[in-house]
Amino acid sequence: MPDSNTNKRSVTQLIQDYLPQIVLVPTVVAMAMYVVVFSLWTLWLSVSTSTLLPDPSFGGFGEYVALWKSKRWTVAYQNLFIFGSLYVLGALFIGTLLAILIDQRVRFEAVWRTIFLYPLAISFIVTGTVWRWIFHPQTGVELALHDMGWLSAQFNWITDRDLALYVVVITGIWHASGFAMALILAGLRAVDGDTIKAAQIDGASMARTYRRVILPSIWPIFLAVAVVLLQFAIKTYDLVVALTQGGPGVSTTVPAIVVYDLMFQRGQIAQGSAAAVMILVALAVVLIPYALYMSYRRRGEENTHG
Amino acid sequence: MAEVDTHIEFDPLSTGSLRRRITSKAIIYGLLVLFSIYYLAPLAILLMNSMRPLEDIVRTGFIDIPSSLSSQYWVEAWGTFCIGGTCEGVSRFFMNSLLMAVPATIISTVLGLINGYALSKWRFKGADILFGLITLGVFLPAQMTLLPWAFVLGSIGLSNTISGLVLIHTIQGLSFTTLFCRNYFLAVPDDLIKAARIDGAGFWRIFRRIILPLSPPIIIVTVIWQFTGIWNEFLFGTVFTSGANQPITSALVAFSGSGTGVRAYNVEAAAVIMSALPPLVIYVVGGKYFVRGLTQGAVK
């Protein structure tokens, strides 16, 4: 009897000892499935002979070739570069400007901050829908200008093949610049006051102090915000769907739209998977160098401190 | 005291004359007002047009002073308007989103708290590798998971259900909640945990008595992040549900694409506001803590 009792005790003891590992099991199993199995699965589908239905037999890399030969895809990838760079630069620029304005000891700071940041809480579907109404000639700015008597006024960017992508950029910046502002403002507030004072005593103007002293000292924040926003840009899907549906023509198509279209509209599962893998590659191109750089920097800091 | 003084003395605008200072202030407030118009215009346009007669909108567009205001379009949008075959307004889709976002937020937050605690305060061999694996989930694009999810949902009988979306959002959210909570708990002093262990407290007791009472700030950040993210998500909702089972974001897109004849822009505007309201309310109520949490993570 006492024997089984100690046995029982040791089992509960064992559970106690490994509790931290045990509670992690569901998450680790889920993430292993999600991150590893799902990725390999899609990777495999991209080199399979799948069409309308998944088919596990190996079909080679032909779908990647076909993808890169299709005009739609090259336009989508090109759009990603134009949209991504303008979106990130625009959000950083406006975010910095707003952060500097709010940093001038303005009254009602919380109110301004809330106004600039609220778009972050709003879905891309809502954002895209409203801005489509504003930009569309039949419902928005152009009609309003005609109404006011300026009959020759034209504002049809959203229906213009060459300009529609910039509508996506403007809308994207509306959504993201508050996020940039919040992080940059926090950075400005963390800058050492003595450094700024020294610059002022030296007779530097406000603009010069910001340009030469304050902003350069918080550049890691700019880098972090840029990486986060680039990630958003690469994953962009809903905004374009609600705003332009990729059109007119294919002028605002982005890679995520091509993936959806190939997988669920055209029944080309293998090529859709190949396109999904290319999105992953784009993310890796942004994130891996950043991660390496961050760990390099952290190690450097540890060395100088130790 | 001296420090406080220097801080007050320092004013970026104090270098100029009085006149220059006044002009600078005017420019600053002028710019803030201009930018506020850019940010608030879409919201104002939505609100105004959700109460305007349709003839007005069709004739003069969305940007105009309303001739009369009425709340009837809100009633229609909520309860009687037809979307994709059903005529129950957005109420049904609103409930779908609620039934999706609330459980997924709660489950992923609770698990994230426990995971973060285990990973930061009970360091064991391999903990960093597990953490790395979990963090990878943050970056994985949804497109890589669409076909596997379709297969998994089909084989466990959750295709075209809200429960299926709860499962997806919970698993996808675990990587965010674990990351947030783990980084937050790293700042809790290890001595606190050590002292409790010497006193004989175990894993759960320390969690309940020490970790949870310190957690409200990170719980607020995680809940806001998860709820708004899940509520606003569109791709999974569109791919894995249809008809009456869609969450509100997907239903809205179906709504705006289904119109034949004259589009009821005013009802549509009311529906769009309804779909934006829950995350907006949560953000306005808890946004202060959210910004604090967001910036603490980035500045450090």
Side-chain angles (χ1 to χ4, degrees):
Chain A
M1 265 328 219
D3 202 14
S4 92
N5 210 2
T6 46
N7 211 0
K8 213 174 177 180
R9 260 192 72 139
S10 71
V11 169
T12 45
Q13 190 58 48
L14 208 64
I15 293 176
Q16 278 296 324
D17 288 348
Y18 283 94
L19 212 48
Q21 284 97 319
I22 293 169
V23 298
L24 284 167
V25 167
T27 305
V28 169
V29 169
M31 294 321 288
M33 182 189 85
Y34 181 69
V35 174
V36 181
V37 177
F38 278 18
S39 298
L40 291 176
W41 195 334
T42 301
L43 194 65
W44 177 252
L45 282 174
S46 74
V47 291
S48 72
T49 54
S50 308
T51 50
L52 192 62
L53 290 169
D55 174 356
S57 39
F58 182 72
F61 293 89
E63 297 296 351
Y64 285 90
V65 178
L67 183 72
W68 279 104
K69 274 187 178 159
S70 74
K71 179 99 194 295
R72 198 170 135 79
W73 176 256
T74 47
V75 169
Y77 227 74
Q78 218 174 337
N79 283 346
L80 189 60
F81 276 97
I82 301 170
F83 166 71
S85 47
L86 292 178
Y87 162 79
V88 172
L89 290 176
L92 277 178
F93 179 75
I94 294 186
T96 308
L97 190 61
L98 291 174
I100 290 176
L101 287 174
I102 289 183
D103 201 28
Q104 307 310 310
R105 314 164 153 259
V106 293
R107 276 165 186 274
F108 315 114
E109 184 187 315
V111 176
W112 301 114
R113 265 205 329 229
T114 307
I115 291 174
F116 302 144
L117 197 60
Y118 91 89
L120 199 63
I122 297 204
S123 70
F124 283 123
I125 296 301
V126 170
T127 306
T129 306
V130 183
W131 283 98
R132 167 162 46 87
W133 286 334
I134 294 174
F135 276 106
H136 205 284
Q138 276 161 20
T139 53
V141 175
E142 185 176 307
L143 189 62
L145 292 175
H146 290 183
D147 243 38
M148 288 190 296
W150 186 4
L151 293 175
S152 60
Q154 260 205 342
F155 189 63
N156 56 355
W157 287 21
I158 201 167
T159 52
D160 185 319
R161 278 164 184 274
D162 298 326
L163 296 172
L165 192 60
Y166 302 104
V167 171
V168 185
V169 171
I170 293 172
T171 310
I173 290 174
W174 179 81
H175 195 267
S177 44
F179 167 76
M181 173 216 68
L183 294 187
I184 294 166
L185 182 61
L188 292 180
R189 294 279 154 89
V191 172
D192 178 28
D194 289 344
T195 329
I196 302 166
K197 220 177 158 219
Q200 300 253 299
I201 289 166
D202 286 348
S205 69
M206 181 190 76
R208 206 182 152 83
T209 312
Y210 271 106
R211 216 174 50 235
R212 291 293 174 82
V213 181
I214 304 177
L215 292 182
S217 72
I218 60 163
W219 70 267
I221 291 178
F222 290 104
L223 187 66
V225 175
V227 168
V228 172
L229 291 181
L230 267 179
Q231 212 206 122
F232 287 160
I234 293 168
K235 292 175 175 174
T236 295
Y237 175 71
D238 346 5
L239 179 66
V240 180
V241 168
L243 195 59
T244 61
Q245 291 182 315
V250 291
S251 58
T252 55
T253 298
V254 287
I257 287 189
V258 180
V259 173
Y260 177 82
D261 205 48
L262 287 170
M263 281 182 181
F264 302 104
Q265 306 289 115
R266 302 189 183 196
Q268 290 180 279
I269 279 182
Q271 204 175 111
S273 303
V277 172
M278 295 320 299
I279 292 182
L280 186 67
V281 169
L283 277 173
V285 166
V286 172
L287 291 174
I288 291 175
Y290 182 66
L292 289 177
Y293 168 72
M294 286 306 279
S295 71
Y296 165 77
R297 217 170 71 118
R298 207 166 298 139
R299 218 167 298 149
E301 258 170 33
E302 270 161 24
N303 284 344
T304 49
H305 285 302
Chain B
M1 194 63 202
E3 238 183 74
V4 176
D5 281 345
T6 44
H7 196 70
I8 288 170
E9 258 171 52
F10 167 66
D11 182 338
L13 296 179
S14 63
T15 43
S17 65
L18 181 66
R19 199 168 147 184
R20 211 180 128 188
R21 250 181 291 171
I22 291 171
T23 359
S24 316
K25 284 279 174 198
I27 292 172
I28 285 166
Y29 283 102
L31 282 173
L32 283 173
V33 169
L34 272 180
F35 275 108
S36 296
I37 293 171
Y38 170 54
Y39 286 95
L40 288 174
L43 201 63
I45 286 171
L46 263 184
L47 204 58
M48 197 175 70
N49 287 283
S50 69
M51 298 188 284
R52 249 176 100 196
L54 188 59
E55 306 86 69
D56 269 26
I57 305 178
V58 171
R59 195 164 38 83
T60 61
F62 279 86
I63 307 170
D64 193 34
I65 311 291
S67 63
S68 66
L69 293 175
S70 157
S71 60
Q72 83 177 83
Y73 315 112
W74 279 66
V75 179
E76 276 181 51
W78 178 253
T80 59
F81 201 76
C82 302
I83 307 169
T86 56
C87 293
E88 301 168 71
V90 294
S91 55
R92 184 192 189 98
F93 306 103
F94 192 92
M95 290 315 288
N96 284 346
S97 280
L98 218 51
L99 288 173
M100 167 181 78
V102 172
T105 301
I106 293 173
I107 301 170
S108 60
T109 301
V110 169
L111 284 174
L113 283 168
I114 298 171
N115 292 342
Y117 161 60
L119 283 168
S120 61
K121 292 292 158 239
W122 296 77
R123 304 197 53 77
F124 51 87
K125 229 179 139 194
D128 284 337
I129 294 170
L130 290 186
F131 179 64
L133 173 78
I134 294 171
T135 332
L136 278 180
V138 171
F139 306 109
L140 192 66
Q143 286 78 13
M144 288 295 289
T145 68
L146 287 176
L147 294 170
W149 271 130
F151 179 82
V152 169
L153 291 185
S155 48
I156 56 176
L158 290 180
S159 294
N160 198 15
T161 62
I162 288 298
S163 312
L165 292 183
V166 171
L167 178 72
I168 294 178
H169 287 305
T170 302
I171 290 187
Q172 202 201 16
L174 276 178
S175 38
F176 285 96
T177 57
T178 304
L179 174 75
F180 289 173
C181 294
R182 184 256 191 189
N183 289 350
Y184 179 80
F185 292 145
L186 279 182
V188 174
D190 283 333
D191 290 344
L192 218 57
I193 311 293
K194 261 183 217 150
R197 286 176 79 174
I198 290 165
D199 287 347
F203 184 81
W204 291 115
R205 206 179 155 83
I206 295 175
F207 182 67
R208 272 203 323 269
R209 295 290 175 82
I210 298 176
I211 297 293
L212 272 188
L214 291 171
S215 298
I218 192 64
I219 293 177
I220 292 171
V221 171
T222 315
V223 165
I224 294 177
W225 179 269
Q226 284 297 93
F227 184 86
T228 52
I230 297 168
W231 182 280
N232 288 339
E233 205 278 335
F234 169 73
L235 181 63
F236 289 131
T238 298
V239 171
F240 298 123
T241 58
S242 61
N245 294 327
Q246 285 186 318
I248 198 162
T249 44
S250 321
L252 271 186
V253 172
F255 185 169
S256 64
S258 69
T260 48
V262 180
R263 292 211 1 219
Y265 283 123
N266 44 13
V267 180
E268 208 178 318
V272 168
I273 296 181
M274 286 171 187
S275 85
L277 223 43
L280 203 56
V281 167
I282 285 197
Y283 162 73
V284 171
V285 173
K288 200 171 71 183
Y289 305 97
F290 183 64
V291 173
R292 203 176 296 161
L294 198 75
T295 49
Q296 271 172 357
V299 175
K300 274 177 189 168

